[in-house]
Amino acid sequence: MARVRARTSDIENAAGVLRAGGLVALPTETVYGLGANAEDPAAVSRIFQVKGRPASHPLIVHISGAEHLDDWVQEVPATARLLAERFWPGPLTLVLRRGRRVPLEATGGLETVAVRVPDHPVALALLSAFGGGVTAPSANRFGSVSPTTADDVRAELGDAVDFVLDGGPCEVGVESTIVDVTGEIPTVLRPGGVTREDLEAVLGCPLAVPATSHIRVPGQHPSHYAPRARVVLVEPEKVVAEAELAQELGHQVGVLLQAAFADAEVKAHAVVAVPGSMAAYARGLYGFLRELDQQGCDLIVASLPAEEGLGLAIANRLRRAAGPRTTV
């Protein structure tokens, strides 16, 4: 997938907006972020206002390289350095003890901070030109589908964003994996673009992926990544029957049809055949949900992929999109 390289003048203008306390939508390899100067409490607070995000919901601080990690946290354990060396730049976020440069507005009042180095040339160019950290949750209204193109950002946030940097479609398509490295044993707090299997291979030990955590991190709200349509999850072999029943009952049904059932004829309002490749599925997931919304669906029927590799991240997003009620 070709990445769009922003003009130098656009990078400089965006950096100027950040210095002035404004908000910049920036591309990353995962999703587009809504960025602000991480050291400016007023600018950080504006992110929460624009998104309608609870002030207790922490943000991720994006930095330009692992060599700057010590500037933002109190200490960097050996495990954190190992993971940073292996996966940065990339879709991995590390949770560490907050350094003095990070205002509590960015951490939701917590003494921990989430930090990562994005793997996108436009994001890295902006961070380098700006010369500091940028807090950047996904550039959408709180709880809704994350944006993976600049047009998604413009459609959802409009003039609430001071500057939009277009870096093309996001290559990973789901948010970063969040790992807590504040304790003796690392814990995956949010599955994402770096798989649990890859982390375990580097660390040489199994990692837990708890459903809840005492450390608040992005993406833990009961309903998150959600389209306007209600999402219901069923067993793969029941998707077609459940979709057709809901259509007969008067719903405008959208279907996310797994590759194994791609040849099935489904009587529904709209059908998206998802790729068999989990990387391609993850890259397209949010676009599929937006497409079904745009086609006027009020109900989306889907099933969970196998929860291994990137399938774990996809399943996590679909469960959050469905909210507390995940089955019919």
Side-chain angles (χ1 to χ4, degrees):
M1 181 183 296
R3 287 170 165 176
V4 175
R5 290 190 175 272
R7 294 175 299 181
T8 301
S9 59
D10 288 338
I11 297 293
E12 293 173 349
N13 288 339
V17 170
L18 291 173
R19 293 189 192 101
L23 301 185
V24 173
L26 64 149
T28 76
E29 77 280 22
T30 57
V31 300
Y32 273 72
L34 182 61
N37 179 354
E39 297 180 80
D40 183 341
V44 172
S45 295
R46 189 174 162 213
I47 288 178
F48 290 91
Q49 295 166 6
V50 167
K51 284 179 61 71
R53 182 186 182 101
S56 61
H57 211 58
L59 306 179
I60 295 173
V61 176
H62 294 68
I63 59 177
S64 61
E67 66 273 17
H68 301 298
L69 183 56
D70 293 271
D71 297 337
W72 298 92
V73 303
Q74 290 184 25
E75 59 180 339
V76 184
T79 298
R81 292 204 188 276
L82 177 63
L83 292 176
E85 178 181 341
R86 172 61 181 82
F87 295 108
W88 282 0
L92 176 68
T93 294
L94 300 177
V95 175
L96 294 151
R97 301 295 178 189
R98 178 180 72 93
R100 287 184 293 180
R101 291 181 68 174
V102 184
L104 288 172
E105 286 83 355
T107 68
L110 300 177
E111 289 300 330
T112 53
V113 61
V115 185
R116 89 175 184 101
V117 179
D119 185 16
H120 195 292
V122 174
L124 291 172
L126 174 60
L127 288 163
S128 179
F130 174 58
V134 172
T135 50
S138 56
N140 55 281
R141 303 294 178 188
F142 180 71
S144 67
V145 179
S146 302
T148 53
T149 69
D151 286 342
D152 292 343
V153 177
R154 296 185 183 102
E156 181 145 352
L157 297 182
D159 293 339
V161 183
D162 299 309
F163 199 94
V164 178
L165 274 174
D166 191 342
C170 299
E171 292 186 350
V172 175
V174 293
E175 291 82 355
S176 61
T177 302
I178 300 179
V179 178
D180 173 20
V181 286
T182 60
E184 293 185 7
I185 302 175
T187 303
V188 177
L189 302 184
R190 179 180 71 181
V194 172
T195 68
R196 175 175 57 183
E197 292 85 348
D198 285 343
L199 292 167
E200 290 175 341
V202 170
L203 296 175
C205 64
L207 295 180
V209 187
T212 60
S213 167
H214 70 282
I215 296 180
R216 298 190 305 273
V217 294
Q220 286 184 327
H221 195 268
S223 178
H224 216 89
Y225 317 113
R228 292 190 300 273
R230 184 165 70 93
V231 176
V232 294
L233 303 176
V234 299
E235 295 299 320
E237 64 274 11
K238 296 180 180 179
V239 167
V240 173
E242 292 289 347
E244 292 184 342
L245 175 59
Q247 189 76 20
E248 291 175 4
L249 292 174
H251 288 286
Q252 296 285 86
V253 179
V255 182
L256 290 181
L257 194 63
Q258 288 198 14
F261 301 90
D263 295 333
E265 293 186 8
V266 189
K267 297 177 182 178
H269 182 67
V271 178
V272 172
V274 303
S277 159
M278 288 298 100
Y281 190 178
R283 186 162 53 245
L285 174 61
Y286 293 145
F288 300 151
L289 295 176
R290 287 180 182 275
E291 177 185 342
L292 294 175
D293 264 348
Q294 291 164 2
Q295 294 197 41
C297 298
D298 61 35
L299 182 70
I300 296 173
V301 179
S303 61
L304 300 179
E307 296 188 41
E308 57 189 27
L310 282 172
L312 179 62
I314 296 168
N316 170 269
R317 301 314 188 269
L318 287 173
R319 283 198 179 93
R320 298 291 181 178
R325 180 183 180 185
T326 58
T327 58
V328 293

